[in-house]
DNA sequence: TCCTTTCTATATCGATCGATAAATAATCTT
DNA sequence: AAGATTATTTATCGATCGATATAGAAAGGA
């Protein structure tokens, strides 16, 4: 049972990738359907037939981003030999991802706090969930370290995760403002200077 | 030599304040002239006569914001008895400013990294300058502490300032995402845990 | 070879965007 | 009171927004 009807004249994955780059760069409101169709090289009806609406296209673009950089950061955390190494890798890898030549600076999910303005409530909820996921992952890694005896039971995994996620989100802003890779790496290292104080047993 | 012609029927300062609140809340692109005129309670020609253009209005709104919260944070830094107290006050006061009831969450200048998209190049430059100013102020306070012998000459004022500004900018994102005052204060305190490590004499 | 199906190209929809022309109203100057 | 000046109201400008109706083109199935 092969595909029926006239075959699509463009590559859907490639079109989605181009859309992701535009949304990442300019945000939802800042990117027009006209820009999208021009960048992809197709007409509006083809884009609507393939993705449904601008809002749905944005959601797919966000999912594609998460499957790339999001998974990459998650792997850094999972594969690190210790909780401290996981957090450090998370920040250092973020610095690299935020400054790749040829890609928009900063994290698409983080910037969506503002970039996502104008999207539907459905998309807004998806964005909020995506942002909350980083907290969940890092917090889980810290709890695991506590249970393994690597970190004292008195430390606060939620609070520590919250701090490092805040730093990473701040790095997104800095990257958007033109910060270089060395500058972002220095910020990441500065944040790691708080590690011992945050994880040591409290009195 | 009194004012000639028909007097303005609305309060310009009040109109600017309402415009600032809207731009702060929804960004430049996210706020339409229609919303602005409705919120202020005047017609479009009156708004254009008073402020020139949407872009110029945004610039004035940004200046008003800086004269409020910007000056407030600058005073916290200037009046603190030590460099450490200055940075701590900067972060703790930011946490409070970012979560005031009745005001949009986060810092208008920081969020303008993205919110400002769509503004003219002139406005974009003004926004970039405003963002760079925090770095200048904190860095200067740290250099002053070094010269006063309060901090060792081996520490890196630019790097330390960069880190704490990144945390503060991250707090803006978190505030936008619904973080509460206690949560932001905890993040600020976590960042302060890095102080000793960042300022101690290097080997 | 026709029919069904799906996609593409052209043209355009109503709504809204930022901004303004023209006419009227309100104030100061003389 | 008359003229000058400025603000306001009303109506609307051209451009662009996201989205589609329509018709033609390209494939598989019968």
């Amino acid at each position: 049972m092969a595909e029926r009807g006239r075959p699509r004249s463009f590559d859907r994955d490639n079109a989605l990738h181009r859309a992701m780059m535009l949304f990442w760069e300019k945000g939802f409101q800042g990117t027009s359907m006209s820009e999208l169709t021009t960048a992809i090289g197709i007409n509006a009806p083809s884009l609507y037939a393939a993705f449904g609406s601008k809002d749905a296209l944005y959601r797919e673009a966000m999912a594609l981003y998460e499957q790339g950089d999001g998974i990459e950061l998650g792997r850094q955390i999972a594969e690190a030999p210790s909780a401290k190494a996981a957090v450090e890798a998370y920040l250092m890898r973020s610095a690299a991802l935020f400054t790749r030549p040829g890609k928009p600076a900063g994290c698409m999910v983080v910037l969506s706090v503002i970039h996502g303005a104008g999207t539907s409530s459905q998309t807004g909820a998806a964005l909020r969930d995506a942002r909350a996921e980083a907290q969940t992952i890092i917090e889980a890694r810290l709890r695991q370290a506590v249970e393994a005896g690597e970190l004292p039971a008195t430390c606060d995994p939620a609070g520590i995760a919250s701090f490092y996620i805040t730093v990473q989100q701040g790095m997104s802003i800095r990257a958007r403002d033109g910060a270089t890779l060395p500058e972002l790496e220095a910020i990441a290292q500065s944040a790691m200077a708080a590690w011992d104080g945050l994880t040591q047993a409290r009195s």
Side-chain angles (χ1 to χ4, degrees), chain A residues 5-194:
Chain A
R6 178 173 175 172
R8 185 176 281 126
S9 66
F10 62 96
D11 183 73
R12 193 182 189 277
D13 291 338
N14 180 265
L16 181 57
H17 183 265
R18 287 174 188 268
M20 177 192 73
M21 292 287 282
L22 277 175
F23 280 136
W24 186 0
E25 170 89 38
K26 317 177 73 170
F28 179 78
Q29 286 177 321
T31 306
S32 70
M33 292 303 291
S34 171
E35 286 175 292
L36 288 164
T37 54
T38 299
I40 297 173
I42 59 178
N43 294 113
S46 296
L47 193 57
Y48 279 94
F51 297 99
S53 69
K54 184 187 181 185
D55 200 83
L57 174 58
Y58 184 81
R59 246 175 288 135
E60 278 204 53
M62 180 65 66
L64 175 62
Y65 177 81
E66 288 176 327
Q67 283 164 20
D69 290 6
I71 297 263
E72 157 76 13
L73 286 179
R75 187 169 41 236
Q76 295 288 330
I77 295 170
E79 295 178 353
S82 69
K84 182 176 182 180
V87 170
E88 184 169 1
Y90 171 69
L91 293 181
M92 292 297 280
R93 189 75 194 122
S94 290
L97 294 180
F98 291 175
T99 55
R100 279 171 299 183
K103 301 224 176 185
C107 170
M108 184 178 179
V109 172
V110 169
L111 298 175
S112 76
V113 176
I114 315 156
H115 262 162
T119 58
S120 67
S121 58
Q122 175 187 357
T123 301
L127 293 174
R128 220 172 307 117
D129 290 349
R131 266 174 261 130
E133 199 178 351
Q135 169 82 27
T136 302
I137 291 176
I138 294 182
E139 192 176 327
R141 182 66 185 85
L142 292 172
R143 287 193 199 286
Q144 171 190 328
V146 169
E147 289 176 11
E150 180 189 332
L151 294 179
T154 51
C155 77
D156 175 18
I160 297 170
S162 175
F163 166 65
Y164 283 106
I165 283 169
T166 301
V167 172
Q168 196 245 11
Q169 295 186 351
M171 286 166 60
S172 263
I173 298 280
R174 302 290 292 219
R176 266 299 153 110
D177 227 357
T180 64
L181 176 57
E183 287 169 351
L184 292 183
E185 287 177 337
I187 291 166
Q189 291 304 322
S190 293
M192 292 313 297

